[in-house]
Amino acid sequence: MALLEQDHAFEIADALIDASEADETEVTLECVEDRFIRFSADGPTQTADRESYELAVRVRFAATGGGFREARARCGGIDEETAFGALGRALTLARIATDLPDAVPLGGPTEVPETSPSRPTQDHSFREKAQWIRAAQERADADDLAPAGLARTTVASRSLANSAGRRVFGATSRAEFSLTCADRTRAAGRAQSSAARTSVHTYADEIDADLVAQDVAASAVRGREPSPIDAAPMDVVLAPPAVSALLTWLAAAGSGAQELAEGSSFMSGRLGEELLDRRLSVVDDPAHPRFAGWRFDGEGYPTLRTSLVASGQLVGPVTDARWAARLGLANTGHAMPQPSAAGPRSSALVLEPGETDEEQLVEAIEDGLYVRGLHYVNLVDPQDLVLTGLTRGGVFRIRGGEIAEPVENLRFTHSLVDAFRSVIGVGVKLERQPSLMGGEVVAPALALRDFRFTSAAPGASS
Amino acid sequence: MTGAAAATFTDLATIARGAVDTALQRGADHADARIVRRAEERLTMRDGVLASADAPETCGIGVRVWKNGAQGFAAAPGSHRDLVDLAAGVARRAVKIAGDVAPLRRDPVRLAGTADACGAFETRCVENPFLVALEDKRDLLVWTDRALGGRREVVARLAEIRIAREEQWMATSDGGATHQVLVQSGGHIEATSSARGVVAKRSYPHSIGGDFRSGGFEVIRAMDFPGNAERVRDESISLCHADVCPAGERTLILGGAQLALQIHESVGHPLELDRILGGERDLAGGSFVSETDVAEAVEGAESSLRYGSEYVNFIADSTVPGGLDTRGFDDDGMPATCFDLVRSGRLAGVQSGRASAGRLGARSSTSASRAAGWHAPPIDRITNVSLVPGAAGTLEDLISDTEDGAIFADTPGAWSIDQERRNFQFTCEVAWEIRGGRRARLLRLPTYQGSTLPFWQSCDAVAGPESWALYGITTCGKGNPMQSAAMSHGAAPARFRGIRFIDVKRS
C-alpha cells in the first residue's frame, strides 16, 4: 500500500458526498504507513510493517429550530462496500441525534500550506533501522549496559473534503529512535542505573543514532550507585524531555476554550494577567520547523500559530468553529475530529527558547538537581495545573554550579503555575519530545526555583 | 476504489490458514495469523445534546512469524472481500522482516508450549447491544442528562454509552484454529460543578473513560444511569464546598473502583513477565519483582516473595463471566485460564505469553498475550486480575469497624507510579472522614502515597463476596509503540493501616 495521493483521496470523498442524502457531508481520510523494530537486551522483541486507513464520514441534517443533527461513522478501508457502509451508518445515527442549535455550517473553500514527507523517510528500511540498533548495542556492550528501545518511521497523509466545497490535503513523516540503557551489575540482572533519550524528527536522516547511544551510555555510567536523598523543595535544571512531560498537560488540560469556559483551565478568570515569569512564552505552532505537523484541524480549518502565553501574560485559548462562535473569539483551527464532546486542543505546543545554554543554567544553581527526564506525570488538579510524577532516566545533584553525584529518584507534586512563576533561566536549545501520556512538545531546558519534591522513590532504577 | 474477489466470512479461517502456510513456505519456523473485525457504537451526550454519535469499524489481518530466532510482523487492512488477495503478501513481508532483524538477536526467541488449540468462544449476551433501538439508547442518555442538570452550580454534564463487537479468526503453525466473538458494553456519567472558586468532578460507575463488562446491553441497563445521576450531581456540588483531605498518617478504606486501579498498577503490571525480564524497560519500565522471585513462586516455595498480608489473595482469571479480558484464547492461541498470582500474601504466579515464558524456561505460558488489534504484535498483558473477597462483610460493616479519623476514598482521579511499580501516589475523586463508625465529613482531593509491598502488607481486612464486583479498565497503555487494552479487576472494599496522605494544595 502506498500513501494516498491527493486526487485519489478527493475522488473517494466526492463519491461519498455525492451519494449522501444529508444536508451537509464531510469526509476525512487518513492513511498511515508505519515500520518499527523494538528491542531489548536480547535484541529485537517486536517488529511491524503495517499500514492503515481511517475513513470518517460526518453527516448533518438541518434542524427545524436552527443548527443541525449530526453523526459520524468510521471504517478502516477505502473499498466501495466498506466506505458506503460507513456512510449508511452515519446517516442512521444522525437521524436519531438530538438538535445542536448552535452548530455552525460547514466551512467552504480554504487554503492550507502544502506539507509532504521526505522520500528517504518513506523508504527507510528495516535494515537501516537495524543499523541504528547495532550502534546502540555496540555502545552498550562497551559499558556493560543493557539496551532497550525503538527504531521507527511513520509517514501519513490526511485529507478533508466537504459538501461546502472545502478540499484540504497534507502529508507528513516522523522518525524516532529511543534508547534506554540500564546497568547490568545489579543482582539477578536487574538495573541500578539507567538513562534514556528519545530522538524525534520529521525526517529519518535527522536521526543520529551514534550520538543518542553515546549520550545515553555516558549518562548511565555516570549514574551508577546513586545516593539516597530526602524529598524537599529544590532548585532544578529540567532537561527538555522533563520540561515536555510537564507541558504536555498544559496542552491537554489547560489550553482549550471548553476548559476555559467551564472554569477548569488554569487560564479561567485570569486572561490578561501576567501569571507566569516574563521569560516564558508558549505558542501552538504546527509550522514550527521541529514539528512540520498537520496544517489544518478536524474540520479542515487552517491551524494558526496561536499565542497562549506571551512574556508571562495569559493571552487566550485555542479554539474551534463552535467555541470561537460561542465565546466571540477568532477560530484558531484546533478542532478535534467532529462531532466530538471534547473541545479544541493544542497539538503543537512550543515553549519559546531563551538565551542561556544548559551549562549556564546549571552554573546558576548552587545546590539543586539536574533532571534528565520525568516519568508518569499525571494531572492532580487542573485549576492550578497541579501535577505529580517521578524523576527517571538520570537525576544528579548540582553542587556549586556543577553536576555532581547521581541521586535516587524522587516524586514531585507541584503546581505548574507556581513552577513557571519561579524561573531561574530558560535554555536556548529546543528539542521535540514525546510524552508517556501522549502528545509531543517542543521545549528548551528550564532552571526553576523550589521545585516541590514530596517523597523519595527508593529502589526505582535511576 | 479497490475491487477484489469475493470471500465469505466462513472463508476467513481458511485465509488465516493460508497466510500461515505461505509464511512456512517462505522459510518461517513458526507463524500465526489473526484476522480481526471490530465494530463499535459510541453515543455521547454532553450538556443536553448528543455531542457525538460515532460508529467505527475496522477489519484487517496481522501475520507474525519467527525465523532464525527472530520475530517479524506485518499487517494490512482489508474488508472480507479483499483479504484473500492481501494475506499472502502480508505473510511474505513478515518473513522478510524476521530475516532482516535476526542478526541483531543475542538469544533466539523460544516459544513455550504448543499453540494447537482448536475451538470457538462467544461472549454470552442477554440482549444483543447492536439490536437495541438507537432511539432507546438516545433516550436513556437524554433522561440521564436531565437528571444530571437542574442545579446552577453544574457547569458540565456528560453521559456516554459504548458497545463493541470483535470477531477474530486465528490460525497457528502448530495446528491451532480458533474463532472468537467478544462483545463489550458499558459507559459512564459525569457531573462537573463550580462553586466558591472550586471546580469538582464526580463520576459513576467509574472514571477513566467509564466502566465496561463483557456482555450485552443488560450491562448498561444494570448500571442505572438515570437512577444515579442526581446523586452524582449533588456529590460534585458538595465537593466544591468540601475541605481538601489533610496530610498525615491514617487508616484508609478503599472502595472497589479505586481498588481496581490500585490492583491494576501495583499488582497487574509488576506481575507481567515481559516487564520482569526487561522487555518493557524502554518505555513503561520494569518490575521490582525479580526472576528469582518468579522462580520461587512457580516452584511453590513457602518462602516466596511476601507481597501482602495474609488477607491478600489475587487471581488472574480470563474465564470469569463479565471480564473485559474474558475469552476462549489469548492472541498466542493459548486457552484461557485461571490461576493464583498471590496466595495468602505470597507471590504464586505471573502473567506470561509464549515468548516470555519460553525465555524463563517454562513449559507453557499463562495465556496472557494480547494485541491491540489486527495491526499490532501481541505482548504480555494484564488479564482480569482480582482481589479475592474476604470475610469483613459489607462496606458499611468495614466502616463501622474502623476508628475515628480514618478515610474512606473511592474513584480514581489521578495516579502515578514509578517504572518498577514500587512507589505510587493516587488521588481519588471523593473521600469521607469516618466518625462514630459512619461516613462523616466529605473531603476532596484525597491523595495517598505508598510503596507496593508495604501497602499490601498493611491490609488487615477485605470485605466479603456480597460487596465484590468487577470494574473495567479500558485504557491500559503498554508497549512501544503504545498499545491499548481492556481488562477487569474484581474487588471488595479493603482496609489499609498507616497510610501516608499529602495535601496537594499545600505540598
Side-chain angles (χ1 to χ4, degrees), chain B residues 308-327:
Chain B
S309 69
E310 63 189 281
Y311 301 98
V312 172
N313 296 276
F314 291 110
I315 56 167
D317 187 356
S318 49
T319 68
V320 61
L324 286 178
D325 186 34
T326 295
R327 23 84 182 168

Side-chain angles (χ1 to χ4, degrees), chain A residues 8 12 15 36-38 40-53 70-76 78-84 89 92-93 96-101 126-127 130 133-134 137 141 148-150 152 178 180 182 186 188 190-191 258 262-264 339-341 375-376 378-381 383-384 386 388-392 409 411 413 436 452 454-462, chain B residues 1-2 42-58 71-77 79-82 93 97 100-101 103-107 134-135 138 142 155-156 158 197-199 265 278-285 287-292 359 374-379 413-425 427 445 449 479-482 500 502 504-505 507:
Chain A
H8 189 189
I12 293 167
F36 71 82
I37 307 172
R38 191 182 190 204
S40 71
D42 295 332
T45 53
Q46 290 123 33
T47 62
D49 178 5
R50 58 189 180 177
E51 55 262 356
S52 62
Y53 293 114
E70 67 175 345
R72 173 178 67 162
R74 291 177 282 161
C75 60
I78 57 171
D79 62 280
E80 190 170 321
E81 181 182 338
T82 302
F84 277 81
R89 294 197 306 279
T92 302
L93 278 174
I96 62 95
T98 60
D99 294 351
L100 301 168
F126 281 87
R127 289 188 179 177
I133 296 168
R134 194 175 300 284
Q137 287 178 327
D141 286 346
L150 179 75
R152 183 185 191 190
S178 65
T180 298
R186 195 172 184 168
R190 292 171 56 210
Q258 182 166 296
E262 290 173 359
S264 62
S340 171
H375 175 72
Y376 222 125
N378 214 334
L379 179 69
V380 176
D381 183 11
Q383 285 183 276
D384 293 313
V386 176
T388 190
L390 301 110
T391 59
R392 182 184 181 183
N409 283 310
R411 170 176 294 286
T413 306
L436 180 69
R452 290 177 197 156
T454 50
S455 59
S461 296
S462 63
Chain B
M1 306 236 176
T2 59
R42 306 174 183 173
L43 300 176
T44 308
M45 196 87 183
R46 187 183 173 92
D47 299 336
V49 297
L50 196 63
S52 179
D54 193 6
E57 280 191 13
T58 66
Q71 182 249 47
F73 177 84
S79 69
H80 61 278
R81 284 181 178 276
D82 49 22
R93 282 159 51 198
I97 296 164
D100 286 348
V101 305
L104 294 172
R105 279 295 302 184
R106 300 289 174 86
D107 188 18
L134 283 167
E135 290 84 350
R138 175 201 60 199
V142 169
V155 294
L158 188 137
V198 174
V199 177
E265 303 292 0
E280 286 286 319
R281 192 177 294 284
D282 55 311
L283 188 68
S287 174
F288 66 86
V289 176
S290 70
E291 289 182 53
T292 306
R359 174 147 180 246
W374 55 264
H375 58 280
I379 55 177
W415 59 98
S416 173
I417 188 165
D418 74 38
Q419 63 272 22
E420 292 183 347
R421 300 280 150 173
R422 201 188 299 256
N423 304 283
F424 61 78
Q425 178 173 306
T427 301
L445 296 172
Q449 296 182 329
N480 194 9
M482 192 77 84
R500 182 187 182 216
I502 67 164
V504 295
K505 289 291 196 182
S507 58

Side-chain angles (χ1 to χ4, degrees), chain B residues 245-253 399-409 431-441 443 446 495-501:
Chain B
C245 186
E249 191 173 299
R250 296 176 181 224
T251 295
L252 169 65
I253 296 174
I399 288 174
S400 68
D401 184 43
T402 302
E403 75 278 9
D404 286 357
I407 300 291
F408 165 59
W432 288 267
E433 193 172 46
I434 294 171
R435 293 277 166 198
R438 306 177 65 175
R439 298 182 214 193
R441 184 169 59 133
L443 298 167
R495 187 172 61 199
F496 303 86
R497 299 293 190 180
I499 302 302
R500 182 187 182 216
F501 285 80

